[in-house]
Amino acid sequence: MPSAHDWINNPLGVVEGMFVQNNSNPEWQKKVVDYFKDKLTEKEAQTWVPSLNDVPLHYLKPNSLVKFRCLIQDMFDPEFYMGVYEAVDPATKSKSLKCGKYKDVTECLVEFNSRNSVTSERQTFYCVPIPGESSWVKECYARSSQAQVIPSTSYTPNRHKRSYDEDDDMDTQSQRPRDSNTGSQSSGDSQRNGDSKRQETEAPSNNTTTTQSCTSPLDLNYPLPEEQGPACLVKVYEDWESFKLNDTIEVFGILSVDPALGGVSEEKEPTSLLDPMESMETVEEQRAHSPPPSLVPRLHMVYALPLQHINPLLPSAVSEDKNAFVTSFLSELGSIRSEFLAYLTHILLGDALAAEYLLLHLVSNVYARRDVLPLGKFTLNLSGCALSATYTEHLYRIIQQLVPSSYRLPMSLHNMNSMRMVPRKDYVANRLVSGVLQLASNTSLFLDETQLEQGQLDASGVRNITALGNLISWQKVDYDFNYHQMEFPCNINVLVASEGRSLLPSDCQVHLKPQLAPPNLGEFLGAIQAAQAPSQMNRYRLYLSVTRRMDYSISEEVTKAVEEDFVEMRKDDPQSMSAEDLHRMLVVSRLLSLSFGQTTLSTDVWMKTKHLEMLRMSRIQQQKSVNGHEP
Amino acid sequence: MSSPTSTPSRKRGRASNPSTPGSEGPLSPPSQRARSQDASQGELPPMPTSPATDICSPNPQDTSLFSSPRRSVLPSEVDASSPLLYGTPSSRVEGTPRSGIRGTPARQRPDLGSVRKAPQVDLHSEPPAGENAVASDQAAGQRLVIWGTDVNVGTCKEKFQRFLQRFIDTTSKEDENCGLDLNEPLYMQKLDEISVVGEPVLNVNCGHVQSFDADMYRQLICYPQEVIPTFDMAVNELFFERYPDSILGHQIQVRPYNALKTRNMRSLNPEDIDQLITISGMVIRNSQLIPEMQEAFFRCQVCAFSARVEVDRGRIAEPAVCRNCNTTHSLALMHNRSLFSDKQMIKLQESPEDMPAGQTPHTTVVYAHNDLVDKVQPGDRINITGIYRAAPMRVNPRQSQVKAVYKTHIDVIHFRKTDERRLHGLDDENEQKLFTEERVQTLRELAGKPDVYERLSSALAPSIYEHEDIKKGILLQLFGGTRKDFSQTGRGNFRAEVNILLCGDPGTSKSQLLQYVFNLVPRGQYTSGKGSSAVGLTAYVMKDPETRQLVLQTGALVLSDNGICCIDEFDKMSDSTRSVLHEVMEQQTLSIAKAGIICQLNARTSVLAAANPVESQWNPKKTTIENIQLPHTLLSRFDLIFLMLDPQDEAYDRRLAHHLVALYYKGEEQIEEEYLDMAVLKDYIAYARTYIVPRLCEEASQALIEAYVDMRKIGSGRGMVSAYPRQLESLIRLAEAHAKVRFSEKVETIDVEEAKRLHREALKQSATDPRTGLVDITILTTGMSATARKRKEEIAQALKKMIQAKGKTPAMKYQQLFDDLRAQSEAAITKDLFDEALRALADEDYLTVTGKTVRLL
């Protein structure tokens, strides 16, 4: 077990040390970055750092290193801060150089007119937990955490009280920061033991309950309405241009919760009316940009890891053992696929064809874009889903259990008319107000069209439908910036469950044909789920994440064969086979190959693709003839 | 030490004056100085001063300033110097002749030095030294500089005066310079203008300064706070020397613009603090007008003695003791006698073009002062020039802790609306995208290639297969023709935009093509015919929730002015919506008369529309009109109408399959190699649109005439017209666009050839009469082919003959007549044709049709 690491418990001390050592030579900044990078890329080191995702904020020690798995929801304006400043000791009047990096507040009187001060620039990102993250992902991450450095002796069930105490604690601490790197803090030491005990018993189960006061009127701007967890203001010091909106990252940073940072103070000094700087920000803007740190902590980034995926079962690091892991997994891929397919077939009440397509859909991923055209997307329209009132809901629960992040959007009239889907810039508060469609890459969006009832869509309803249509067709969302729109590409797997053909566009429609008619659908599905061992579920989850990420190519010969086939099919009946059909078949064959763990297209798979498509088409034809009114 | 030379017009405040609150800062507006001087110094004989040399260096010994003779001359006038005069105007002496530099009140420039404290105060932390330095300036022989800078006031002034007197820019294209003689010194003419118009503001293009004297430019950029006041002085001196009798509201202020230092908000960094910068952006929010106190007026409650206190860094030091009666805490602030200046906060957002993909736009706070207040509105695209400032934030006034963050803003000196010209109709230059030398070089190189046209067209939407001619058509649309103005002769503007309609089978990637174009052009709009209403396309009036005023919100067509409006599902548009397009597509304007707002907006947009056939599948037996059911009045406004059909032939299928498969397996790099980068294409188009204005050469005109005559001839053989002037205009536009593709200033015969070819191709597809297989323009202009009309005529005649042959039967059965005619005629006669024939005869007053019977008249 790792002992208490200085670089986790007191990273600022490390920074300060390096700053002094290098005599404020600008080199020190790079050294600090490298230092943390080295530390964190060590084997397992990342698991020692407590995570904001699973540990409630008030259990974490201020100014310690924490990590946060998040989505960049908004990017604020860059800010200039005092990189190096001269501090005046009020008692002795002696001056000393201080470093302001990784800190929010200066420690003592600042000599503003000093020649030695250096102004630097940093960027602030507003980060929220990954929207729609499945509970199994959260649990899995929490379980793998080995952090144990949470100090607290007097655990009181009253959490508000507790966090208040901590803030006080914090306040005094910031007054004597030099203590922190010289001696061990007595309070910190004594707290440590008690808390780690509690951590063991309580923390994992704790993470789903909101610890932050829900009564707060502050809108934390989560993309999804029922989202929980801490939002964070992440201060970025190095190459912030490399981050993009909606990126999922794991931030390692220094936690700062100085209560002085809270922007909105009721008792404004009368003189501040004359201070032009302060009167300019609207109250809304202050609320958005400097929320109380107890709700939205600040995180000073020392290292960030862009997340390709958030599946905790798959090793995240790009290392050899990952490759080894994948190779070993591939060997049993075939069996997993058939088991998984059987599972899906049960879920879809015995419809093997629909199960096959659902599997392909779950594996799909936008892997490239050719000018405006996203390649690899596979939006599935599962029609005939109105078996019972709750079938779609059950179906969603099951998908939720399989994918790392997902969201079910019931397309009821009310939802369509009132929901905020497209993120919108609020110029008064100067922030991007999030919407349901601000999702991380590879999130599964489950559109439940069976909830649709008769009625009229109003203007915003029409906009929402258009936005959904754009998302499906082009994999992009046009964010509303009031005076103009801005296009953000995305990569979201959309599954539309509907009764008849969906009103939204889709790449592929499959009509569900249940073979079974269990009297109690809920119970039936529950039983199927219960029959799957957790380890089995994990295999499925892993299967989806691994296959989605494999490389894929088509060899020359197969290309020829495919071309030949296309020409042949067109010869017989040009109407039945358009360019669009070929597009779809190429996607299906790609996904099918990947689902078998093959990285090139084989003629077998191509034949299977054709077969699948044929079955699907004939089913649609049938469906059309059954209900003549279907277009 | 206060030699008069060092004092006079120093009312430009200095932000960074570290003087103790006790001493009166150099910020004191002239009025105050004048008054206190009145009180303390009495009348001093006016001295012939050479105007100030020192305006910048802070002077703690302010009292000495008041000995300035210039104040004493016209004490009353200085009151007017306050921009917002809440004082007592009665004190003004009426009728005093006011002219000359000393008579004209100077005006505070809060934009330069504000009461805020700049971070680099240390530059001036030893003001006495500065004062000494500059005061002894002349004595020391022009060697001394303003403290903390390398600016020598004397030299700087001299240089600037020389600049004003000598600078000539013969290549000036700026619209505000129109009417000026380009071969005369530019700024002297502007001074002349000032003397006539009386607006005491001189805008100076920093680019001019740079080309004239790079060193002066550098100083201006680095020390705007010091240099601009020097410029002011210089210009005033010069001005009043030349126009000693002119009367101005206040002294002339120099407003530099177009500092090349920074263009992009994103590239602002700490090094830019306190420098002169120019950035572009869009106004997103204006605050209300803020009266900012410049000087507080206190009156003693006991003895009515009054005292004035300068605002120092946002604070007023309230005098605790009355100096007159020695009562403590008896002074009360008199709001209506304090002096205020206007101020406004403006939020500026990065323009969407400047943003890297995947990031959100940045915003910056801008402060406008005095007459710059309310000059811009939210939504305006502007270039601003100003001084970048940063100030530390205090967490709590009572604490010593400071948030280790600076708040930044820009004190604006000059606004320039970038979209202003769009309203004036002089356009395209607003898209002044700056091209670097190398970029221009590569573009020119590309243009030099013989196959540039093919290259560009294949670079267009590479994921869409073939349809070469359609892509070429769209390419020409992207470039557009040359804009011609015939408004003098009463015809108005000629349309330069090319409109294109794509129709064809569903699933032929029309929408994809539209999406691509929409993404390519900077000012593109994408709408769907299904989802848009007439107001969504044009403009609507709504009540602004904040101001409760009616505002005009513009729709897609107006927004895509100078761009391309892509309309998908054109056929699904309602008729009323489509009808608004008539005006836009030929006159290029949009007239609006609603809610008391009557106006005509420019909508010089190219329309790229896509339509599906009515029967969902294209019926080759029908004409275009019949297939898409669009009014021919609208169709004739499209320069090119393309059919995107599924060709259904094996070789094509094979190539298509190959193309699609390649799309799915080729790596990103391979694709990139094959085609031009989208960014290059974008730049190429932007460059050509901005800088290339091709004109018809003699040969090309001849070729066009011939082409047109040929087109007319084709039809005339069969007794019909196959081309109209509109087609000739289309040809000209296409030829011009093609010349632009080649970066050629002249339209030559090859351009005309290509235009002809493309036009013919499009016609071949869309205007071919399915019955005869001949190209027939009347299908598009009248909605019916000439053969169809001829045929109608024939049937009517046959019917007439038949009826006449039947002899005297006043009434006949409809069905019987139809059957008889069918039996008689060799060709198949449909019911429609029969009905039409009957109608034609009815028009001749030969018969009437009532229900099922046909009566002869």
Side-chain angles (χ1 to χ4, degrees), chain A residues 378-392:
Chain A
F378 192 66
T379 307
L380 185 66
N381 174 206
L382 203 59
S383 57
C385 277
L387 299 171
S388 83
T390 53
Y391 180 66
T392 47

Side-chain angles (χ1 to χ4, degrees), chain A residues 404-424:
Chain A
S405 59
S406 58
Y407 180 64
R408 171 171 176 256
L409 178 62
M411 287 178 65
S412 66
L413 200 64
H414 174 76
N415 268 350
M416 294 322 283
N417 280 339
S418 64
M419 222 174 200
R420 197 178 57 217
M421 294 209 180
V422 175
R424 173 180 62 85

Side-chain angles (χ1 to χ4, degrees), chain B residues 477-503:
Chain B
Q477 180 183 36
L478 289 171
F479 283 89
T482 313
R483 195 156 285 156
K484 309 164 199 71
D485 190 2
F486 288 97
S487 40
Q488 259 92 27
T489 53
R491 168 102 207 283
N493 281 325
F494 260 59
R495 166 158 72 96
E497 281 73 19
V498 177
N499 298 324
I500 293 181
L501 175 68
L502 309 173
C503 27

